Short mmCIF file of all heavy atoms in Angstrom, two decimals:
data_model
loop_
_atom_site.label_atom_id
_atom_site.label_comp_id
_atom_site.label_asym_id
_atom_site.label_seq_id
_atom_site.Cartn_x
_atom_site.Cartn_y
_atom_site.Cartn_z
N MET A 1 28.03 -115.19 28.55
CA MET A 1 27.41 -116.29 27.86
C MET A 1 26.35 -116.91 28.72
O MET A 1 26.54 -117.05 29.96
CB MET A 1 28.52 -117.33 27.47
CG MET A 1 27.98 -118.42 26.67
SD MET A 1 29.41 -119.49 26.10
CE MET A 1 28.84 -119.88 24.54
N ILE A 2 25.25 -117.32 28.08
CA ILE A 2 24.16 -117.89 28.81
C ILE A 2 24.52 -119.31 29.26
O ILE A 2 25.05 -120.13 28.44
CB ILE A 2 22.86 -117.95 28.00
CG1 ILE A 2 22.41 -116.56 27.69
CG2 ILE A 2 21.79 -118.73 28.71
CD1 ILE A 2 21.25 -116.49 26.80
N ALA A 3 24.29 -119.67 30.54
CA ALA A 3 24.60 -120.96 30.99
C ALA A 3 23.74 -121.99 30.25
O ALA A 3 22.60 -121.74 29.85
CB ALA A 3 24.31 -121.07 32.49
N LYS A 4 24.31 -123.18 30.01
CA LYS A 4 23.63 -124.21 29.24
C LYS A 4 22.35 -124.67 29.87
O LYS A 4 21.30 -124.88 29.15
CB LYS A 4 24.56 -125.48 29.06
CG LYS A 4 25.69 -125.13 28.13
CD LYS A 4 26.52 -126.40 27.98
CE LYS A 4 27.77 -126.08 27.09
NZ LYS A 4 28.55 -127.22 26.87
N ASP A 5 22.30 -124.70 31.20
CA ASP A 5 21.04 -125.12 31.87
C ASP A 5 19.97 -124.07 31.72
O ASP A 5 18.78 -124.43 31.55
CB ASP A 5 21.23 -125.43 33.34
CG ASP A 5 21.85 -124.28 34.09
OD1 ASP A 5 22.62 -123.47 33.56
OD2 ASP A 5 21.56 -124.22 35.37
N MET A 6 20.33 -122.81 31.72
CA MET A 6 19.33 -121.73 31.46
C MET A 6 18.83 -121.82 30.09
O MET A 6 17.57 -121.62 29.88
CB MET A 6 19.94 -120.37 31.77
CG MET A 6 19.00 -119.19 31.53
SD MET A 6 19.80 -117.57 31.69
CE MET A 6 19.70 -117.36 33.49
N LEU A 7 19.72 -122.03 29.07
CA LEU A 7 19.25 -122.18 27.76
C LEU A 7 18.34 -123.33 27.56
O LEU A 7 17.31 -123.25 26.84
CB LEU A 7 20.51 -122.26 26.81
CG LEU A 7 20.17 -122.31 25.31
CD1 LEU A 7 19.54 -121.04 24.89
CD2 LEU A 7 21.52 -122.50 24.54
N ALA A 8 18.64 -124.43 28.20
CA ALA A 8 17.74 -125.63 28.13
C ALA A 8 16.35 -125.37 28.70
O ALA A 8 15.34 -125.72 28.11
CB ALA A 8 18.37 -126.79 28.89
N GLN A 9 16.34 -124.60 29.84
CA GLN A 9 15.05 -124.21 30.41
C GLN A 9 14.26 -123.40 29.48
O GLN A 9 13.05 -123.52 29.33
CB GLN A 9 15.24 -123.48 31.76
CG GLN A 9 15.67 -124.35 32.82
CD GLN A 9 15.95 -123.55 34.17
OE1 GLN A 9 15.95 -122.32 34.17
NE2 GLN A 9 16.18 -124.22 35.23
N ILE A 10 14.85 -122.44 28.76
CA ILE A 10 14.22 -121.53 27.85
C ILE A 10 13.63 -122.37 26.73
O ILE A 10 12.49 -122.15 26.28
CB ILE A 10 15.10 -120.42 27.37
CG1 ILE A 10 15.39 -119.44 28.52
CG2 ILE A 10 14.49 -119.67 26.22
CD1 ILE A 10 16.53 -118.47 28.22
N GLN A 11 14.44 -123.33 26.21
CA GLN A 11 13.98 -124.14 25.08
C GLN A 11 12.79 -125.01 25.43
O GLN A 11 12.00 -125.31 24.58
CB GLN A 11 15.20 -124.96 24.53
CG GLN A 11 16.19 -124.11 23.88
CD GLN A 11 17.42 -124.87 23.45
OE1 GLN A 11 17.72 -125.93 24.02
NE2 GLN A 11 18.14 -124.38 22.50
N GLN A 12 12.74 -125.41 26.64
CA GLN A 12 11.60 -126.30 27.12
C GLN A 12 10.43 -125.52 27.57
O GLN A 12 9.35 -126.15 27.77
CB GLN A 12 12.14 -127.20 28.23
CG GLN A 12 13.20 -128.21 27.77
CD GLN A 12 13.81 -128.96 28.93
OE1 GLN A 12 13.43 -128.86 30.14
NE2 GLN A 12 14.74 -129.86 28.60
N ALA A 13 10.44 -124.21 27.62
CA ALA A 13 9.36 -123.45 28.10
C ALA A 13 8.28 -123.40 26.98
O ALA A 13 8.60 -123.59 25.83
CB ALA A 13 9.78 -122.01 28.43
N PRO A 14 7.02 -123.19 27.43
CA PRO A 14 6.00 -123.08 26.41
C PRO A 14 6.23 -121.88 25.50
O PRO A 14 6.94 -120.89 25.79
CB PRO A 14 4.69 -122.79 27.24
CG PRO A 14 5.06 -123.28 28.65
CD PRO A 14 6.53 -123.13 28.77
N LEU A 15 5.73 -121.96 24.29
CA LEU A 15 5.89 -120.97 23.25
C LEU A 15 5.53 -119.58 23.73
O LEU A 15 6.26 -118.54 23.51
CB LEU A 15 5.11 -121.34 21.95
CG LEU A 15 5.33 -120.40 20.79
CD1 LEU A 15 6.79 -120.42 20.35
CD2 LEU A 15 4.46 -120.84 19.67
N ALA A 16 4.40 -119.38 24.42
CA ALA A 16 3.97 -118.13 24.89
C ALA A 16 4.97 -117.48 25.87
O ALA A 16 5.38 -116.24 25.73
CB ALA A 16 2.62 -118.18 25.58
N GLU A 17 5.59 -118.30 26.66
CA GLU A 17 6.63 -117.80 27.62
C GLU A 17 7.90 -117.37 26.96
O GLU A 17 8.53 -116.42 27.29
CB GLU A 17 6.90 -118.76 28.69
CG GLU A 17 5.76 -118.93 29.77
CD GLU A 17 6.12 -119.95 30.79
OE1 GLU A 17 7.30 -120.28 31.03
OE2 GLU A 17 5.23 -120.50 31.43
N ARG A 18 8.26 -118.16 25.91
CA ARG A 18 9.46 -117.85 25.09
C ARG A 18 9.30 -116.54 24.34
O ARG A 18 10.21 -115.79 24.28
CB ARG A 18 9.78 -119.02 24.15
CG ARG A 18 10.22 -120.21 24.90
CD ARG A 18 10.19 -121.50 24.11
NE ARG A 18 11.10 -121.47 22.94
CZ ARG A 18 11.09 -122.41 21.99
NH1 ARG A 18 10.34 -123.46 22.16
NH2 ARG A 18 11.91 -122.31 21.03
N ILE A 19 8.13 -116.38 23.85
CA ILE A 19 7.81 -115.12 23.12
C ILE A 19 7.86 -113.93 24.12
O ILE A 19 8.43 -112.82 23.78
CB ILE A 19 6.46 -115.12 22.39
CG1 ILE A 19 6.58 -116.12 21.18
CG2 ILE A 19 6.04 -113.76 21.90
CD1 ILE A 19 5.25 -116.46 20.55
N GLN A 20 7.33 -114.09 25.26
CA GLN A 20 7.35 -113.03 26.30
C GLN A 20 8.82 -112.76 26.68
O GLN A 20 9.18 -111.54 26.85
CB GLN A 20 6.58 -113.48 27.51
CG GLN A 20 6.33 -112.38 28.51
CD GLN A 20 5.48 -112.85 29.71
OE1 GLN A 20 5.25 -114.10 29.88
NE2 GLN A 20 4.96 -111.94 30.41
N PHE A 21 9.64 -113.77 26.84
CA PHE A 21 11.04 -113.60 27.13
C PHE A 21 11.75 -112.71 26.04
O PHE A 21 12.48 -111.84 26.33
CB PHE A 21 11.64 -114.95 27.28
CG PHE A 21 13.14 -114.93 27.68
CD1 PHE A 21 13.47 -114.51 28.98
CD2 PHE A 21 14.12 -115.28 26.77
CE1 PHE A 21 14.86 -114.56 29.34
CE2 PHE A 21 15.43 -115.28 27.12
CZ PHE A 21 15.82 -114.95 28.39
N ILE A 22 11.49 -113.06 24.84
CA ILE A 22 12.09 -112.35 23.71
C ILE A 22 11.63 -110.86 23.75
O ILE A 22 12.41 -109.92 23.50
CB ILE A 22 11.70 -112.99 22.37
CG1 ILE A 22 12.40 -114.37 22.27
CG2 ILE A 22 12.04 -112.07 21.13
CD1 ILE A 22 11.90 -115.19 21.07
N GLU A 23 10.31 -110.63 24.06
CA GLU A 23 9.85 -109.22 24.08
C GLU A 23 10.50 -108.42 25.19
O GLU A 23 10.77 -107.25 25.01
CB GLU A 23 8.30 -109.28 24.35
CG GLU A 23 7.51 -109.68 23.09
CD GLU A 23 6.06 -109.90 23.30
OE1 GLU A 23 5.58 -109.94 24.50
OE2 GLU A 23 5.30 -109.98 22.28
N VAL A 24 10.82 -109.07 26.30
CA VAL A 24 11.47 -108.33 27.40
C VAL A 24 12.89 -107.95 26.99
O VAL A 24 13.35 -106.84 27.26
CB VAL A 24 11.50 -109.23 28.73
CG1 VAL A 24 12.42 -108.68 29.74
CG2 VAL A 24 10.11 -109.50 29.29
N ILE A 25 13.61 -108.95 26.32
CA ILE A 25 14.95 -108.59 25.87
C ILE A 25 14.89 -107.54 24.80
O ILE A 25 15.74 -106.58 24.90
CB ILE A 25 15.60 -109.95 25.32
CG1 ILE A 25 15.85 -110.88 26.41
CG2 ILE A 25 16.90 -109.61 24.55
CD1 ILE A 25 16.31 -112.25 25.94
N LEU A 26 14.01 -107.62 23.87
CA LEU A 26 13.85 -106.55 22.85
C LEU A 26 13.58 -105.18 23.50
O LEU A 26 14.19 -104.19 23.10
CB LEU A 26 12.71 -106.97 21.85
CG LEU A 26 12.50 -106.00 20.72
CD1 LEU A 26 13.73 -105.91 19.84
CD2 LEU A 26 11.36 -106.45 19.90
N LYS A 27 12.71 -105.11 24.45
CA LYS A 27 12.43 -103.82 25.06
C LYS A 27 13.68 -103.29 25.76
O LYS A 27 13.94 -102.14 25.71
CB LYS A 27 11.26 -103.98 26.16
CG LYS A 27 10.91 -102.65 26.78
CD LYS A 27 9.89 -102.88 27.83
CE LYS A 27 9.55 -101.50 28.51
NZ LYS A 27 10.61 -100.70 28.91
N SER A 28 14.44 -104.14 26.38
CA SER A 28 15.65 -103.74 27.04
C SER A 28 16.68 -103.20 26.06
O SER A 28 17.29 -102.14 26.30
CB SER A 28 16.32 -104.95 27.76
OG SER A 28 17.57 -104.61 28.25
N LEU A 29 16.77 -103.83 24.91
CA LEU A 29 17.69 -103.32 23.85
C LEU A 29 17.22 -102.04 23.33
O LEU A 29 18.04 -101.10 23.08
CB LEU A 29 17.79 -104.37 22.73
CG LEU A 29 18.52 -105.61 23.08
CD1 LEU A 29 18.38 -106.65 21.88
CD2 LEU A 29 19.94 -105.39 23.33
N LYS A 30 15.95 -101.86 23.08
CA LYS A 30 15.40 -100.58 22.54
C LYS A 30 15.68 -99.46 23.57
O LYS A 30 16.00 -98.37 23.19
CB LYS A 30 13.92 -100.76 22.29
CG LYS A 30 13.67 -101.47 21.04
CD LYS A 30 12.09 -101.51 20.75
CE LYS A 30 11.72 -102.29 19.48
NZ LYS A 30 10.32 -102.34 19.26
N ASP A 31 15.45 -99.70 24.89
CA ASP A 31 15.79 -98.71 25.89
C ASP A 31 17.22 -98.32 25.87
O ASP A 31 17.53 -97.10 26.02
CB ASP A 31 15.39 -99.30 27.27
CG ASP A 31 13.78 -99.41 27.45
OD1 ASP A 31 13.10 -98.82 26.61
OD2 ASP A 31 13.42 -100.08 28.41
N ASP A 32 18.09 -99.26 25.77
CA ASP A 32 19.53 -98.98 25.67
C ASP A 32 19.87 -98.10 24.50
O ASP A 32 20.66 -97.17 24.56
CB ASP A 32 20.41 -100.26 25.65
CG ASP A 32 20.40 -100.92 27.03
OD1 ASP A 32 20.00 -100.37 28.00
OD2 ASP A 32 20.86 -102.10 27.05
N ILE A 33 19.29 -98.42 23.32
CA ILE A 33 19.55 -97.64 22.18
C ILE A 33 19.04 -96.22 22.26
O ILE A 33 19.67 -95.24 21.92
CB ILE A 33 18.95 -98.30 20.93
CG1 ILE A 33 19.69 -99.63 20.59
CG2 ILE A 33 18.94 -97.38 19.72
CD1 ILE A 33 19.01 -100.50 19.56
N LYS A 34 17.86 -96.10 22.88
CA LYS A 34 17.31 -94.77 23.03
C LYS A 34 18.10 -93.91 24.00
O LYS A 34 18.24 -92.70 23.84
CB LYS A 34 15.80 -94.82 23.59
CG LYS A 34 14.81 -95.22 22.54
CD LYS A 34 13.41 -95.26 23.17
CE LYS A 34 12.42 -95.70 22.13
NZ LYS A 34 11.10 -95.82 22.72
N SER A 35 18.66 -94.53 25.01
CA SER A 35 19.47 -93.75 25.98
C SER A 35 20.83 -93.49 25.48
O SER A 35 21.59 -92.80 26.18
CB SER A 35 19.45 -94.49 27.36
OG SER A 35 20.18 -95.69 27.22
N GLY A 36 21.22 -94.02 24.37
CA GLY A 36 22.56 -93.74 23.78
C GLY A 36 23.62 -94.66 24.21
O GLY A 36 24.74 -94.58 23.85
N ILE A 37 23.23 -95.76 24.95
CA ILE A 37 24.27 -96.71 25.42
C ILE A 37 24.10 -97.86 24.41
O ILE A 37 23.12 -98.58 24.34
CB ILE A 37 23.92 -97.26 26.79
CG1 ILE A 37 23.96 -96.11 27.79
CG2 ILE A 37 24.90 -98.25 27.23
CD1 ILE A 37 23.45 -96.38 29.19
N SER A 38 25.17 -98.06 23.66
CA SER A 38 25.22 -99.16 22.72
C SER A 38 26.40 -100.03 22.95
O SER A 38 27.23 -100.21 22.08
CB SER A 38 25.16 -98.67 21.28
OG SER A 38 26.27 -97.84 21.03
N GLY A 39 26.68 -100.46 24.14
CA GLY A 39 27.80 -101.27 24.45
C GLY A 39 29.02 -100.41 24.60
O GLY A 39 29.11 -99.52 25.40
N ARG A 40 30.03 -100.64 23.80
CA ARG A 40 31.35 -100.02 23.85
C ARG A 40 31.30 -98.68 23.13
O ARG A 40 32.11 -97.79 23.43
CB ARG A 40 32.42 -100.84 23.21
CG ARG A 40 32.78 -102.03 24.06
CD ARG A 40 33.76 -102.92 23.39
NE ARG A 40 33.02 -103.89 22.55
CZ ARG A 40 33.51 -104.48 21.55
NH1 ARG A 40 34.76 -104.32 21.12
NH2 ARG A 40 32.78 -105.39 20.83
N HIS A 41 30.36 -98.49 22.29
CA HIS A 41 30.36 -97.30 21.43
C HIS A 41 29.31 -96.33 21.84
O HIS A 41 28.11 -96.78 22.14
CB HIS A 41 30.19 -97.63 19.97
CG HIS A 41 31.20 -98.58 19.46
ND1 HIS A 41 32.50 -98.32 19.27
CD2 HIS A 41 31.09 -99.91 19.14
CE1 HIS A 41 33.12 -99.31 18.82
NE2 HIS A 41 32.31 -100.38 18.71
N ARG A 42 29.59 -95.09 21.97
CA ARG A 42 28.67 -94.11 22.29
C ARG A 42 28.64 -93.05 21.19
O ARG A 42 29.70 -92.58 20.80
CB ARG A 42 29.02 -93.40 23.67
CG ARG A 42 27.97 -92.34 24.02
CD ARG A 42 28.26 -91.95 25.40
NE ARG A 42 27.55 -92.84 26.27
CZ ARG A 42 27.16 -92.61 27.45
NH1 ARG A 42 27.48 -91.47 28.05
NH2 ARG A 42 26.53 -93.42 28.16
N ARG A 43 27.48 -92.78 20.57
CA ARG A 43 27.40 -91.89 19.49
C ARG A 43 27.60 -90.41 19.93
O ARG A 43 27.04 -90.01 20.97
CB ARG A 43 26.08 -91.98 18.75
CG ARG A 43 25.95 -93.27 18.06
CD ARG A 43 24.68 -93.30 17.30
NE ARG A 43 24.60 -94.53 16.47
CZ ARG A 43 23.89 -94.68 15.49
NH1 ARG A 43 23.10 -93.72 15.06
NH2 ARG A 43 23.90 -95.83 14.80
N LYS A 44 28.37 -89.67 19.16
CA LYS A 44 28.56 -88.29 19.52
C LYS A 44 27.97 -87.41 18.39
O LYS A 44 28.08 -87.80 17.21
CB LYS A 44 30.11 -88.02 19.56
CG LYS A 44 30.73 -88.69 20.72
CD LYS A 44 32.23 -88.30 20.74
CE LYS A 44 32.95 -89.07 21.84
NZ LYS A 44 34.43 -88.77 21.87
N ALA A 45 27.32 -86.38 18.77
CA ALA A 45 26.72 -85.49 17.81
C ALA A 45 27.86 -84.69 17.10
O ALA A 45 28.95 -84.49 17.64
CB ALA A 45 25.77 -84.49 18.47
N PHE A 46 27.61 -84.30 15.84
CA PHE A 46 28.65 -83.63 15.09
C PHE A 46 27.90 -82.55 14.30
O PHE A 46 26.67 -82.59 14.05
CB PHE A 46 29.49 -84.47 14.21
CG PHE A 46 28.65 -85.17 13.13
CD1 PHE A 46 28.50 -84.60 11.91
CD2 PHE A 46 28.10 -86.37 13.39
CE1 PHE A 46 27.82 -85.25 10.88
CE2 PHE A 46 27.40 -87.08 12.44
CZ PHE A 46 27.26 -86.47 11.20
N LYS A 47 28.65 -81.49 13.92
CA LYS A 47 28.10 -80.42 13.12
C LYS A 47 28.78 -80.46 11.71
O LYS A 47 29.95 -80.81 11.60
CB LYS A 47 28.46 -79.09 13.75
CG LYS A 47 27.69 -78.84 15.01
CD LYS A 47 27.92 -77.45 15.53
CE LYS A 47 27.23 -77.15 16.88
NZ LYS A 47 27.41 -75.86 17.39
N VAL A 48 27.96 -80.16 10.75
CA VAL A 48 28.53 -80.10 9.36
C VAL A 48 28.77 -78.67 9.03
O VAL A 48 27.86 -77.82 9.08
CB VAL A 48 27.50 -80.71 8.36
CG1 VAL A 48 27.99 -80.60 6.93
CG2 VAL A 48 27.20 -82.18 8.68
N ARG A 49 30.01 -78.32 8.63
CA ARG A 49 30.35 -77.06 8.24
C ARG A 49 30.22 -76.88 6.72
O ARG A 49 30.76 -77.72 5.93
CB ARG A 49 31.78 -76.66 8.66
CG ARG A 49 31.92 -76.62 10.20
CD ARG A 49 33.22 -76.11 10.55
NE ARG A 49 34.26 -77.10 10.05
CZ ARG A 49 35.57 -76.82 10.05
NH1 ARG A 49 36.01 -75.70 10.49
NH2 ARG A 49 36.37 -77.75 9.64
N LYS A 50 29.61 -75.89 6.18
CA LYS A 50 29.48 -75.64 4.82
C LYS A 50 30.68 -74.73 4.43
O LYS A 50 31.21 -73.93 5.18
CB LYS A 50 28.19 -74.83 4.55
CG LYS A 50 26.90 -75.61 4.83
CD LYS A 50 25.73 -74.78 4.43
CE LYS A 50 24.40 -75.46 4.76
NZ LYS A 50 23.23 -74.69 4.35
N PHE A 51 31.10 -74.99 3.22
CA PHE A 51 32.18 -74.18 2.68
C PHE A 51 31.95 -74.00 1.19
O PHE A 51 31.24 -74.78 0.51
CB PHE A 51 33.55 -74.79 2.96
CG PHE A 51 33.80 -76.12 2.42
CD1 PHE A 51 34.42 -76.29 1.10
CD2 PHE A 51 33.45 -77.29 3.05
CE1 PHE A 51 34.60 -77.54 0.51
CE2 PHE A 51 33.57 -78.51 2.45
CZ PHE A 51 34.19 -78.67 1.18
N HIS A 52 32.63 -72.99 0.59
CA HIS A 52 32.43 -72.62 -0.75
C HIS A 52 33.77 -72.74 -1.48
O HIS A 52 34.82 -72.26 -1.02
CB HIS A 52 31.88 -71.19 -0.91
CG HIS A 52 31.45 -70.83 -2.29
ND1 HIS A 52 32.26 -70.79 -3.36
CD2 HIS A 52 30.19 -70.64 -2.67
CE1 HIS A 52 31.58 -70.44 -4.41
NE2 HIS A 52 30.32 -70.35 -4.03
N LEU A 53 33.80 -73.39 -2.59
CA LEU A 53 35.01 -73.70 -3.34
C LEU A 53 35.38 -72.56 -4.25
O LEU A 53 36.42 -72.55 -4.92
CB LEU A 53 34.91 -74.94 -4.20
CG LEU A 53 34.77 -76.28 -3.40
CD1 LEU A 53 34.56 -77.41 -4.36
CD2 LEU A 53 36.00 -76.52 -2.62
N GLY A 54 34.52 -71.52 -4.32
CA GLY A 54 34.82 -70.35 -5.16
C GLY A 54 34.09 -70.45 -6.49
O GLY A 54 33.84 -69.39 -7.11
N GLN A 55 33.78 -71.57 -6.87
CA GLN A 55 33.05 -71.67 -8.15
C GLN A 55 32.28 -73.11 -8.12
O GLN A 55 32.58 -73.97 -7.27
CB GLN A 55 33.95 -71.72 -9.31
CG GLN A 55 34.99 -72.79 -9.36
CD GLN A 55 35.95 -72.69 -10.54
OE1 GLN A 55 35.91 -71.76 -11.28
NE2 GLN A 55 36.75 -73.71 -10.74
N GLU A 56 31.39 -73.24 -9.05
CA GLU A 56 30.64 -74.55 -9.05
C GLU A 56 31.59 -75.62 -9.60
O GLU A 56 32.28 -75.37 -10.69
CB GLU A 56 29.41 -74.34 -9.97
CG GLU A 56 28.58 -75.60 -9.96
CD GLU A 56 27.21 -75.43 -10.74
OE1 GLU A 56 26.94 -74.30 -11.05
OE2 GLU A 56 26.59 -76.42 -11.02
N VAL A 57 31.58 -76.70 -9.11
CA VAL A 57 32.49 -77.83 -9.48
C VAL A 57 31.59 -78.90 -10.06
O VAL A 57 30.70 -79.46 -9.39
CB VAL A 57 33.24 -78.38 -8.35
CG1 VAL A 57 34.10 -79.55 -8.87
CG2 VAL A 57 34.14 -77.35 -7.77
N ARG A 58 31.75 -79.23 -11.34
CA ARG A 58 30.96 -80.25 -11.94
C ARG A 58 31.88 -81.47 -12.17
O ARG A 58 32.99 -81.40 -12.71
CB ARG A 58 30.44 -79.85 -13.31
CG ARG A 58 29.42 -78.70 -13.18
CD ARG A 58 28.80 -78.47 -14.51
NE ARG A 58 27.87 -77.32 -14.35
CZ ARG A 58 26.50 -77.56 -14.24
NH1 ARG A 58 26.02 -78.79 -14.31
NH2 ARG A 58 25.71 -76.50 -14.15
N CYS A 59 31.40 -82.64 -11.80
CA CYS A 59 32.15 -83.84 -11.89
C CYS A 59 31.56 -84.81 -12.96
O CYS A 59 30.36 -85.11 -12.84
CB CYS A 59 32.24 -84.60 -10.54
SG CYS A 59 33.11 -83.66 -9.32
N ASP A 60 32.29 -85.23 -13.87
CA ASP A 60 31.84 -86.22 -14.82
C ASP A 60 32.46 -87.52 -14.43
O ASP A 60 33.69 -87.76 -14.43
CB ASP A 60 32.35 -85.80 -16.25
CG ASP A 60 31.83 -86.76 -17.27
OD1 ASP A 60 30.92 -87.67 -16.93
OD2 ASP A 60 32.27 -86.74 -18.42
N ARG A 61 31.64 -88.43 -14.00
CA ARG A 61 32.05 -89.73 -13.47
C ARG A 61 32.92 -90.48 -14.47
O ARG A 61 33.91 -91.03 -14.22
CB ARG A 61 30.87 -90.52 -13.06
CG ARG A 61 31.22 -91.84 -12.46
CD ARG A 61 29.96 -92.51 -11.93
NE ARG A 61 30.21 -93.95 -11.96
CZ ARG A 61 29.34 -94.87 -12.32
NH1 ARG A 61 28.17 -94.55 -12.70
NH2 ARG A 61 29.70 -96.12 -12.23
N ASP A 62 32.44 -90.49 -15.75
CA ASP A 62 33.16 -91.22 -16.79
C ASP A 62 34.57 -90.62 -16.98
O ASP A 62 35.56 -91.38 -17.15
CB ASP A 62 32.41 -91.19 -18.14
CG ASP A 62 31.11 -91.99 -18.01
OD1 ASP A 62 31.01 -92.97 -17.21
OD2 ASP A 62 30.13 -91.61 -18.71
N GLU A 63 34.63 -89.37 -16.96
CA GLU A 63 35.95 -88.74 -17.13
C GLU A 63 36.88 -89.07 -16.01
O GLU A 63 38.14 -89.25 -16.18
CB GLU A 63 35.73 -87.18 -17.25
CG GLU A 63 37.03 -86.39 -17.61
CD GLU A 63 36.73 -84.89 -17.69
OE1 GLU A 63 35.64 -84.53 -18.12
OE2 GLU A 63 37.67 -84.15 -17.30
N ILE A 64 36.39 -89.00 -14.78
CA ILE A 64 37.20 -89.36 -13.60
C ILE A 64 37.73 -90.78 -13.67
O ILE A 64 38.90 -90.97 -13.49
CB ILE A 64 36.46 -89.15 -12.32
CG1 ILE A 64 36.09 -87.66 -12.09
CG2 ILE A 64 37.17 -89.71 -11.09
CD1 ILE A 64 35.16 -87.33 -10.94
N TYR A 65 36.85 -91.73 -14.09
CA TYR A 65 37.33 -93.09 -14.16
C TYR A 65 38.27 -93.29 -15.32
O TYR A 65 39.12 -94.15 -15.27
CB TYR A 65 36.15 -94.05 -14.25
CG TYR A 65 35.48 -94.17 -12.86
CD1 TYR A 65 34.16 -93.72 -12.64
CD2 TYR A 65 36.13 -94.78 -11.81
CE1 TYR A 65 33.56 -93.91 -11.42
CE2 TYR A 65 35.57 -94.93 -10.59
CZ TYR A 65 34.29 -94.47 -10.40
OH TYR A 65 33.66 -94.64 -9.14
N ALA A 66 38.10 -92.54 -16.42
CA ALA A 66 38.96 -92.71 -17.57
C ALA A 66 40.42 -92.25 -17.28
O ALA A 66 41.37 -92.80 -17.76
CB ALA A 66 38.48 -91.82 -18.73
N GLU A 67 40.57 -91.24 -16.33
CA GLU A 67 41.86 -90.83 -15.88
C GLU A 67 42.59 -91.92 -15.07
O GLU A 67 43.79 -91.91 -15.11
CB GLU A 67 41.69 -89.60 -15.06
CG GLU A 67 41.29 -88.36 -15.88
CD GLU A 67 41.06 -87.11 -14.99
OE1 GLU A 67 41.21 -87.25 -13.78
OE2 GLU A 67 40.74 -86.07 -15.59
N ARG A 68 41.86 -92.77 -14.45
CA ARG A 68 42.46 -93.85 -13.60
C ARG A 68 43.07 -94.92 -14.50
O ARG A 68 43.96 -95.69 -14.01
CB ARG A 68 41.47 -94.40 -12.68
CG ARG A 68 41.02 -93.47 -11.64
CD ARG A 68 40.01 -94.12 -10.67
NE ARG A 68 39.58 -93.18 -9.65
CZ ARG A 68 38.76 -93.49 -8.72
NH1 ARG A 68 38.25 -94.68 -8.64
NH2 ARG A 68 38.35 -92.59 -7.85
N GLY A 69 42.57 -95.02 -15.68
CA GLY A 69 43.17 -96.08 -16.59
C GLY A 69 42.39 -97.27 -16.69
O GLY A 69 41.90 -98.11 -16.29
#
């Protein structure tokens, strides 16, 4: 958590400096996302396997919902 005095200093800084501060934070976040570090979660690549059901399956949405009642 940001210390209250640091937050007060940021709020009292000129607008141009506050915007520059935001840009630095945004760049840091973008770099973390690009490198795959997103805090506690790390994305893993996965492969999609294709499979064949033996025949074409057609689904009628209205019929499916009608069976549910």
Side-chain angles (χ1 to χ4, degrees):
M1 183 174 217
I2 297 178
K4 290 182 182 181
D5 57 330
M6 180 185 275
L7 185 59
Q9 287 178 351
I10 293 170
Q11 289 173 337
Q12 293 174 0
L15 184 61
E17 288 181 21
R18 290 165 60 187
I19 291 173
Q20 188 177 19
F21 182 72
I22 291 170
E23 288 174 345
V24 169
I25 292 173
L26 181 61
K27 183 184 179 314
S28 172
L29 291 171
K30 286 181 179 180
D31 291 344
D32 287 348
I33 291 170
K34 283 182 183 177
S35 67
I37 301 170
S38 60
R40 291 177 267 160
H41 304 289
R42 182 170 272 203
R43 292 187 175 198
K44 295 181 182 178
F46 63 93
K47 292 183 180 180
V48 177
R49 293 185 297 167
K50 295 181 182 181
F51 61 94
H52 193 292
L53 296 174
Q55 63 183 5
E56 184 176 349
V57 177
R58 295 190 180 259
C59 297
D60 183 12
R61 183 176 155 219
D62 294 330
E63 185 178 327
I64 293 171
Y65 285 115
E67 290 175 358
R68 292 183 182 179

